[in-house]
């Protein structure tokens, strides 16, 4: 009996040992590569714009040479460098990161409509009323290397555009500037459009007085014929009287404007200064 027990015990130990070996085999776990999803590209919407003026500044494609370096016959054979300036009013809500995609869209549109354009200048404004003066948002140039004055006969004739790029000159802190400009549109309780109208009428009042003064001075000169030592003092005396009368008229004309819009003289001076600083139209 003991012998049989020993045999069973031995077989049990062998079986247990073999099972442990099977279970102790290394389990190889296959590692999966972690894929991090990429974020979709950020798209920037372009801003609304209006082309308010187009100026053709085309000339002969001189390249880097000056006009004097060409003979007359050479000049006659040179192709035209089609150079166009566009004055463009952008949306007042435009953001800084919208400038470049908006300009690129404008340039693409212009060149697709006219493949002969060799140089494009864009003057960018925030307000149509100041578009007759220098740009206030900035400027962009589409040309070889982004610089004007590089168009030679080869580029003009064959429309080679490989070296073309757009260069920018933009207002610093543009969004802050536009925000402040928007706030300034209402001053002393007067909206900007009304202040512009007042400015025009103040200028007109001054012009009327100045025209009177000039007309009266012309009459004095016509009466005396010319200025000499014998009549100089008399002419100066009459000029002084005319100037006094012109000042009275100017004050009278301006006073009419002040009453019309219920503004004070300090308000009028502030409006006049603002109009001159911002190049408001005078007519």
């Amino acid at each position: 009996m003991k012998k049989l027990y020993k045999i069973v015990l031995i077989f049990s130990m062998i079986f247990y040992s073999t099972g442990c070996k099977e279970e102790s085999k290394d389990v190889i776990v296959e590692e999966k590569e972690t894929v991090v999803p990429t974020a979709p590209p950020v798209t920037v919407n372009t801003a609304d714009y209006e082309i308010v003026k187009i100026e053709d500044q085309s000339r002969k494609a001189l390249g880097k040479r000056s006009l004097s370096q060409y003979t007359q016959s050479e000049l006659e054979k040179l192709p035209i460098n089609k150079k166009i300036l566009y004055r463009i009013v952008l949306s007042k809500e435009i953001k800084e990161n919208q400038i470049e995609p908006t300009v690129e869209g404008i340039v693409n549109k212009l060149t697709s409509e006219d493949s002969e354009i060799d140089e494009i200048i864009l003057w960018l404004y925030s307000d149509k009323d100041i578009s007759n003066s220098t740009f206030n948002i900035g400027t962009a140039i589409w040309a070889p290397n982004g610089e004007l004055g590089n168009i030679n006969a080869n580029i003009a004739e064959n429309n080679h555009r490989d070296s073309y790029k757009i260069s920018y000159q933009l207002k610093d802190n543009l969004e802050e500037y536009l925000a402040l400009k928007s706030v300034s549109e209402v001053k002393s309780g007067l909206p900007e459009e009304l202040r512009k109208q007042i400015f025009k009428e103040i200028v007109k009042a001054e012009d009327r007085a100045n025209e009177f003064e000039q007309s009266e001075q012309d009459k004095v000169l016509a009466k005396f014929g010319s200025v000499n030592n014998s009549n100089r003092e008399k002419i100066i005396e009459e000029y002084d009287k005319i100037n006094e009368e012109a000042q009275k008229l100017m004050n009278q004309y301006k006073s009419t404007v002040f009453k019309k819009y219920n503004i004070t003289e300090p308000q009028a001076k502030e409006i006049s200064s603002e109009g001159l600083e911002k190049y408001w139209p005078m007519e």
Side-chain angles (χ1 to χ4, degrees):
M1 190 71 178
K2 289 182 179 179
K3 185 176 182 181
L4 177 62
Y5 175 78
K6 288 182 179 179
I7 293 171
V8 172
L9 181 61
I10 291 169
F11 273 100
S12 298
M13 292 178 65
I14 293 172
F15 175 78
Y16 178 77
S17 176
T18 305
C20 287
K21 288 181 180 178
E22 289 293 330
E23 289 179 3
S24 66
K25 287 182 179 178
D26 292 335
V27 178
I28 300 174
V29 179
E30 184 179 348
E31 294 185 4
K32 294 183 178 180
E33 183 180 352
T34 304
V35 179
V36 179
T38 57
V42 177
T43 57
V44 178
N45 294 327
T46 57
D48 293 333
Y49 67 90
E50 178 187 359
I51 298 176
V52 295
K53 192 173 183 180
I54 301 173
E55 300 173 31
D56 191 334
Q57 299 182 356
S58 300
R59 61 172 193 167
K60 289 287 187 176
L62 302 176
K64 291 295 187 179
R65 296 169 64 185
S66 65
L67 185 64
S68 61
Q69 292 178 298
Y70 288 91
T71 65
Q72 185 61 38
S73 60
E74 286 177 328
L75 282 174
E76 291 173 358
K77 294 176 183 177
L78 280 179
I80 294 296
N81 165 20
K82 191 169 185 180
K83 175 182 176 183
I84 310 293
L85 167 65
Y86 297 87
R87 296 178 186 242
I88 297 177
V89 176
L90 299 172
S91 167
K92 292 182 180 180
E93 290 76 33
I94 194 167
K95 305 298 181 184
E96 287 187 45
N97 64 351
Q98 291 180 296
I99 295 287
E100 293 193 15
T102 300
V103 166
E104 288 171 7
I106 294 171
V107 169
N108 289 338
K109 184 175 187 298
L110 294 173
T111 53
S112 65
E113 293 174 348
D114 185 356
S115 62
E116 296 301 317
I117 296 181
D118 297 302
E119 291 178 315
I120 292 176
I121 307 168
L122 304 182
W123 282 10
L124 308 174
Y125 301 86
S126 63
D127 195 327
K128 191 172 183 177
D129 287 334
I130 61 172
S131 60
N132 285 325
S133 58
T134 305
F135 52 85
N136 70 324
I137 287 183
T139 182
I141 293 172
W142 178 78
N145 301 316
E147 297 177 356
L148 298 174
N150 291 322
I151 305 299
N152 55 34
N154 183 37
I155 293 175
E157 282 181 346
N158 301 301
N159 295 333
H160 290 314
R161 308 302 187 203
D162 295 341
S163 63
Y164 274 65
K165 69 176 185 178
I166 302 173
S167 61
Y168 297 87
Q169 179 187 336
L170 301 176
K171 181 84 174 178
D172 291 335
N173 303 315
L174 177 61
E175 291 179 34
E176 180 181 349
Y177 163 75
L178 292 177
L180 290 173
K181 187 176 185 300
S182 177
V183 170
S184 71
E185 287 184 355
V186 176
K187 286 184 178 179
S188 303
L190 301 171
E192 188 177 59
E193 286 304 314
L194 181 57
R195 298 202 309 277
K196 288 179 179 178
Q197 181 60 35
I198 294 172
F199 174 70
K200 288 181 183 179
E201 294 191 27
I202 291 174
V203 171
K204 186 177 180 180
E206 293 173 346
D207 287 345
R208 285 181 65 191
N210 290 333
E211 287 169 4
F212 165 80
E213 183 173 16
Q214 185 61 55
S215 175
E216 293 300 306
Q217 287 177 349
D218 290 343
K219 290 177 184 178
V220 171
L221 283 179
K223 181 175 69 175
F224 285 96
S226 61
V227 181
N228 52 52
N229 291 333
S230 61
N231 62 21
R232 188 183 308 276
E233 292 299 323
K234 183 63 177 176
I235 291 175
I236 292 174
E237 182 182 337
E238 296 208 22
Y239 269 28
D240 287 341
K241 290 180 181 179
I242 292 170
N243 180 260
E244 288 179 12
E245 184 65 24
Q247 287 299 317
K248 289 180 182 178
L249 286 175
M250 185 177 294
N251 292 336
Q252 178 185 326
Y253 298 151
K254 285 185 175 181
S255 179
T256 302
V257 177
F258 302 164
K259 290 178 182 178
K260 178 180 177 181
Y261 294 101
N262 193 28
I263 60 173
T264 63
E265 187 171 348
Q267 281 179 301
K269 288 182 178 179
E270 185 178 346
I271 291 170
S272 295
S273 298
E274 183 183 12
L276 293 172
E277 180 183 343
K278 295 182 177 179
Y279 303 100
W280 284 351
M282 298 184 179
E283 297 179 356

